[in-house]
Amino acid sequence: MRSKTAAIRYRSLLLALGVGLTAASGAAAQTAPDSLGGLTRVFSRYQRTAVPEKLFLHLDRPFYTAGETMWFKVYAVDGTSGRPLPMSKVANVEVLNHENKPVLQARVELRQATGQGSFTLPASLASGTYTVRAYTNWMQNFGPEYYFHSSVTVVNTFAASGAAAQDSVKPYTVQFFPEGGNLVQGLPGKVGFQATSSSGKGVAVEGKVLTQTGAVVATFNTLRFGLGSFSFTPEAGTTYTAVVTQGKGKPSRYQLPPVYAQGYAMRLERPASGLLTVTVRATTTQPETVYLLGHAGQTIAVAAQATLRDGSTTFTVEPGQLPDGISHFTLFDAGRKPLCERLYFQPPRNKLTVTAQPDKNHYGLRDQVALSLATTAGAGQALGANLSVAVYRLDSLAAPRPADINSYLWLSADLKGEVESPEYYFTATGPEAAEAADNLMLTQGWSRFRWEQVLASAPAPLPYLPELRGPLVQARLTQPGTDIPRPGVTAYLASPSRLTRLTNAVSNADGLVQFEADAARGTRELVIQTDPRQDSTAQIKLLSPFSGRYAPALAPAFSALPSLEAAYTKRHFQTQVQTIFAPKEALRPAPAPADSLAFYGKPSETYFLDKYTRFKVLEEVMREYVPGVMVRIRKDGFHFMVMDKVNNAILTENPLVLLDGVPVFSVNKMMAMDPLKIQKLEVVDSRYFHGATVYNGIVSYTTYKGDLEGFELDPRALIQQYEGLQAQREFYAPRYDTPQQKQSRLPDMRNLLYWNPGVTTTAAGPRKLEFYTGDQAGRYLVVVQGLAPTGQAGSSRTVLEVKPAL
């Protein structure tokens, strides 16, 4: 439910974070910020409420065996500046199989824009290529294509060698993307294309474009990663077919997109002068005003208008004034209708340089490794950063390396689908690299948002609120047996516990209620109910916090290779040894601090009943020991009246009665409770304002175990198991500081030597890390990912050599 209070708090947070829109000049034809027929104003209004948020996960390694632990760190950033964005306090992390079905899910706490977690991969998990995705509740407003996605490989070594290998000759598909959106007759057009195999990787192809009469109008071939482009001028009444071949394979035929009789064409080029030119052509010859809006995240970089004369005009843009990352150039007509769109990529001009320097050229078994970490930016100036470090063994089973944080945040995160080898676009230079980046931009569709929503007179409220303070729990209230919503009903959320927590919310027009729950960890029991005095028939359904929408699957089904049977067997042995001999404390989550104060703060009166003579009837306990609560019997049974000491009066209506934090709306049922099961009683002896509800005092009972002690709740209440925030675990690695430890007979077959998600560097100098090698010789990869407070991102990879004793 998007409550007024939540909306106000959200806007206040944005102001506190300094999240806003800035307009920058980007072309000689740049106009004032509030011009283009009001286009920039409405765009700015939309972007102020639709703050872009991105997540990046640093996974400890790309390959696992069933039974191992997957460790990860979450970085949350502002989608425009790349700076850490401490807005959301919870991230949803899931592991999906090749059918996009979740096999593992967790909600991870975010503190100061970072979080950490882990998954123990079940021993029953099938071998396969899995997708790890992550998103916040706020990110669900913008589509699953923009969640974080990364592929990992999991092999179940109990049954890995029996699978058949995939056919080495894989089919491929080719897609064609006209620049700007459409092919228009008589207008020169550029077409990008993408050739991909069934595994989603680019393949090298060549081909030609034919008319229906067989005339060749263009030829083409891929440049890199299955991407390429060609140009031609479509003619009226002509259909075009691409004949594509891969090597010496059989040609395949693909129909090009249709040619329109009327329309607009856009061409973006960067000639030798260095300036970007955006050329617009139209089939009309009448003068017409068009607008060009260049935008990236929350930044308007170009706001220009021009007049089409003889069906043509050109905009000029200075590339240096464009923000880092991907800019969208969108063309509008005078009625603010979007006509064409084109993407342009500007590599970040100032990245974080991460240096990881080991203290030796090679190491022995159970040897100490001292790693020096330094982070610099610009011209080698030291800069503090938040880092995560993983050290894992390289073997024949190693999967392709995942994207680094810099290329993901500034490229992959803003594009739909998977970008093959994204680091290439950040490291390669020269004309070929520029052309490859342009081909990638050509194959992308329209913006992540729909322009009819952006340009609406009153933007619709976004349904998913950011989790500003902790987890949000959402439920729907309907009429019994129907989907008809029940608006305006107050619902209460509680979890039986000795820690008294309670929250309430009022259902909106769709029957939705949204509770701000506490940051409890692990599985717990939730109780959601309504007050029978207000509503006694509402049907309650708890909604999952995880997104039910999925982007297209990243990878196909997995098949193990018989040639790697020996490697699978060795990895199986290593995993089982570690599982057996790992210390038990390494498997237990670290205890989380808990706030023992009840939601109502310090009570006015507290009674520990063991300090008094124990009665067998709760009525006697209340009358004898609790002077702040008067017990009255009326026609319908028992009633409580709390003494309002603030106003020196008696509150004649029943107070809120709680048992282990759960509301009990029937005083008669509460009075039937065995008082010998109650340890503590607390009273708030004044009116208490709680959300949208006012209580006439509070009477709170706590049992010894905090589990309701068999008390039967109202049958209309929803009682359901719920997975809260993931309990934190600490990575365990043995130390070999002494000769006795080095001579220990406990085997150390770790493939992951070190994992540390909480490393920080400062401008004062390098940071030193120490860890130990195990009993396996080989090459180990040190991967460091990091983000500076100013938004620069960077990573490094270093190889350690571990040699056996002679």
Side-chain angles (χ1 to χ4, degrees):
M1 181 192 67
R2 189 181 177 90
S3 66
K4 182 177 180 181
T5 302
I8 294 174
R9 183 165 60 250
Y10 166 57
R11 288 195 295 269
S12 300
L13 179 72
L14 296 186
L15 292 174
L17 294 174
V19 176
L21 187 144
T22 59
S25 62
Q30 177 92 15
T31 59
D34 188 15
S35 60
L36 306 188
L39 186 63
T40 57
R41 175 179 51 80
V42 295
F43 181 81
S44 300
R45 179 196 62 190
Y46 175 82
Q47 291 297 76
R48 279 194 295 269
T49 60
V51 177
E53 184 179 34
K54 297 178 183 178
L55 294 185
F56 175 78
L57 258 65
H58 177 190
L59 300 172
D60 62 316
R61 46 193 158 154
F63 183 94
Y64 304 88
T65 57
E68 289 187 318
T69 299
M70 174 191 295
W71 301 87
F72 57 84
K73 178 176 179 177
V74 186
Y75 294 86
V77 305
D78 179 276
T80 301
S81 66
R83 293 185 178 91
L85 180 63
M87 180 172 71
S88 295
K89 297 301 183 289
V90 181
N92 296 326
V93 183
E94 301 179 278
V95 178
L96 312 177
N97 63 17
H98 70 279
E99 296 178 339
N100 261 351
K101 295 181 180 179
V103 296
L104 294 167
Q105 295 177 315
R107 309 205 76 204
V108 178
E109 182 180 19
L110 298 179
R111 294 184 178 180
Q112 295 303 311
T114 63
Q116 57 179 293
S118 62
F119 286 118
T120 299
L121 305 178
S124 59
L125 193 64
S127 297
T129 302
Y130 291 83
T131 298
V132 180
R133 74 169 185 171
Y135 53 94
T136 64
N137 197 59
W138 177 247
M139 290 171 65
Q140 293 193 58
N141 291 303
F142 309 106
E145 295 84 2
Y146 299 103
Y147 302 167
F148 171 85
H149 291 86
S150 182
S151 295
V152 298
T153 301
V154 178
V155 171
N156 190 317
T157 53
F158 289 96
S161 61
Q166 288 181 309
D167 189 353
S168 59
V169 179
K170 301 176 182 178
Y172 64 90
T173 59
V174 184
Q175 295 175 286
F176 297 89
F177 305 88
E179 183 174 18
N182 298 315
L183 293 174
V184 183
Q185 68 176 34
L187 303 182
K190 189 175 184 180
V191 179
F193 68 89
Q194 181 177 31
T196 54
S197 68
S198 59
S199 64
K201 301 301 181 182
V203 295
V205 299
E206 59 182 16
K208 52 189 175 182
V209 179
L210 308 177
T211 66
Q212 65 265 41
T213 62
V216 178
V217 297
T219 59
F220 58 86
N221 60 277
T222 51
L223 180 66
R224 280 186 174 272
F225 315 121
L227 301 172
S229 62
F230 58 90
S231 300
F232 77 110
T233 301
E235 297 180 356
T238 304
T239 58
Y240 295 91
T241 302
V243 180
V244 185
T245 57
Q246 180 189 17
K248 296 182 180 180
K250 184 179 179 180
S252 300
R253 302 176 72 89
Y254 296 90
Q255 197 76 25
L256 262 61
V259 178
Y260 291 89
Q262 302 290 329
Y264 301 79
M266 172 190 284
R267 173 66 66 90
L268 187 149
E269 296 176 295
R270 186 170 183 176
S273 65
L275 296 178
L276 288 178
T277 60
V278 180
T279 302
V280 179
R281 294 182 176 89
T283 52
T284 178
T285 58
Q286 298 297 319
E288 180 183 354
T289 299
V290 291
Y291 303 139
L292 182 68
L293 188 67
H295 52 96
Q298 285 184 309
T299 301
I300 295 179
V302 176
Q305 73 177 50
T307 301
L308 287 172
R309 300 187 187 279
D310 297 324
S312 178
T313 191
T314 299
F315 298 91
T316 303
V317 180
E318 170 58 55
Q321 294 179 342
L322 294 176
D324 291 344
I326 294 176
S327 295
H328 298 245
F329 288 96
T330 309
L331 183 73
F332 297 84
D333 64 15
R336 302 195 305 191
K337 177 183 176 182
L339 305 173
C340 302
E341 183 158 291
R342 177 69 149 84
L343 306 188
Y344 177 79
F345 175 60
Q346 173 70 60
R349 283 151 284 199
N350 187 16
K351 72 174 185 177
L352 182 72
T353 300
V354 180
T355 305
Q357 181 64 47
D359 63 328
K360 299 179 184 179
N361 293 329
H362 61 269
Y363 299 87
L365 303 181
R366 301 194 177 189
D367 199 2
Q368 185 185 64
V369 179
L371 191 67
S372 177
L373 295 179
T375 50
T376 59
Q381 182 179 2
L383 178 67
N386 194 317
L387 308 175
S388 46
V389 182
V391 183
Y392 63 89
R393 188 170 184 267
L394 294 171
D395 55 24
S396 57
L397 300 179
R401 74 181 197 179
D404 62 84
I405 186 172
N406 191 47
S407 63
Y408 180 82
L409 293 179
W410 293 108
L411 179 65
S412 302
D414 288 321
L415 301 179
K416 295 181 180 179
E418 186 177 14
V419 178
E420 186 176 351
S421 300
E423 66 280 355
Y424 168 82
Y425 304 99
F426 292 76
T427 58
T429 57
E432 182 177 310
E435 184 180 355
D438 196 57
N439 288 337
L440 177 63
M441 297 299 102
L442 276 171
T443 58
Q444 300 301 314
W446 282 73
S447 305
R448 66 173 61 198
F449 43 74
R450 288 163 34 191
W451 282 106
E452 57 268 26
Q453 294 179 341
V454 177
L455 302 178
S457 57
L462 299 173
Y464 296 96
L465 291 177
E467 295 177 296
L468 302 176
R469 298 194 298 184
L472 295 177
V473 176
Q474 195 175 64
R476 175 174 282 111
L477 307 185
T478 60
Q479 295 183 16
T482 72
D483 290 330
I484 301 174
R486 293 296 302 268
V489 177
T490 302
Y492 301 83
L493 171 71
S495 180
S497 171
R498 290 181 55 80
L499 303 177
T500 306
R501 303 284 186 266
L502 178 69
T503 184
N504 61 55
V506 179
S507 59
N508 66 7
D510 296 322
L512 293 176
V513 286
Q514 194 154 261
F515 306 96
E516 285 192 335
D518 60 78
R521 301 181 184 275
T523 303
R524 54 179 174 155
E525 189 176 73
L526 291 187
V527 179
I528 303 177
Q529 56 185 323
T530 59
D531 188 340
R533 294 170 297 182
Q534 181 192 20
D535 184 285
S536 60
T537 61
Q539 180 175 294
I540 306 172
K541 179 182 179 181
L542 183 65
L543 303 181
S544 171
F546 295 98
S547 173
R549 298 180 297 162
Y550 300 91
L554 289 184
F558 168 85
S559 289
L561 296 174
S563 61
L564 295 177
E565 183 175 354
Y568 293 140
T569 301
K570 183 177 181 180
R571 194 65 176 266
H572 174 83
F573 172 74
Q574 295 164 351
T575 302
Q576 298 311 307
V577 168
Q578 283 303 112
T579 301
I580 294 171
F581 290 100
K584 301 304 179 185
E585 60 266 21
L587 304 177
R588 291 194 294 264
D595 183 4
S596 60
L597 191 66
F599 75 92
Y600 46 77
K602 185 176 180 180
S604 308
E605 305 172 22
T606 302
Y607 303 91
F608 290 94
L609 299 188
D610 286 338
K611 295 183 178 181
Y612 302 87
T613 301
R614 300 307 300 257
F615 293 106
K616 296 183 179 181
V617 179
L618 189 56
E619 179 184 359
E620 295 181 350
V621 174
M622 300 299 295
R623 292 185 184 276
E624 290 292 331
Y625 302 135
V626 190
V629 180
M630 301 175 61
V631 179
R632 294 291 183 265
I633 301 178
R634 300 173 185 168
K635 291 182 179 181
D636 57 350
F638 288 100
H639 288 260
F640 287 162
M641 294 190 300
V642 172
M643 304 292 293
D644 184 357
K645 295 182 179 179
V646 174
N647 299 299
N648 194 25
I650 298 176
L651 302 175
T652 58
E653 298 295 328
N654 281 328
L656 173 68
V657 179
L658 302 172
L659 177 62
D660 290 334
V662 179
V664 177
F665 298 105
S666 172
V667 178
N668 290 335
K669 289 184 65 175
M670 188 66 244
M671 293 296 275
M673 176 79 175
D674 183 357
L676 298 180
K677 297 180 179 180
I678 299 173
Q679 182 194 37
K680 183 176 65 173
L681 168 62
E682 294 181 336
V683 178
V684 175
D685 56 11
S686 63
R687 284 192 174 91
Y688 187 84
F689 294 84
H690 187 215
T693 305
V694 180
Y695 308 134
N696 289 291
I698 299 174
V699 178
S700 177
Y701 300 92
T702 304
T703 65
Y704 288 91
K705 298 180 180 179
D707 61 358
L708 301 179
E709 287 282 1
F711 183 86
E712 185 176 346
L713 295 174
D714 192 304
R716 292 179 294 268
L718 174 68
I719 305 173
Q720 189 168 323
Q721 292 294 313
Y722 185 81
E723 188 71 29
L725 295 178
Q726 186 182 68
Q728 296 293 301
R729 294 170 55 189
E730 293 184 5
F731 177 77
Y732 170 80
R735 297 185 62 85
Y736 302 109
D737 297 311
T738 66
Q740 293 80 6
Q741 290 173 323
K742 284 192 174 184
Q743 295 168 8
S744 170
R745 300 183 63 184
L746 288 177
D748 184 355
M749 307 299 288
R750 289 173 295 143
N751 282 283
L752 179 66
L753 288 184
Y754 187 70
W755 167 252
N756 190 339
V759 180
T760 56
T761 59
T762 66
R767 169 74 185 275
K768 303 291 185 181
L769 298 179
E770 294 182 353
F771 56 92
Y772 289 84
T773 62
D775 293 339
Q776 294 191 88
R779 301 170 70 244
Y780 289 81
L781 185 64
V782 180
V783 180
V784 185
Q785 307 275 13
L787 182 68
T790 49
Q792 292 99 324
S795 64
S796 73
R797 296 170 183 269
T798 306
V799 175
L800 303 179
E801 294 281 352
V802 178
K803 297 183 178 181
L806 299 178

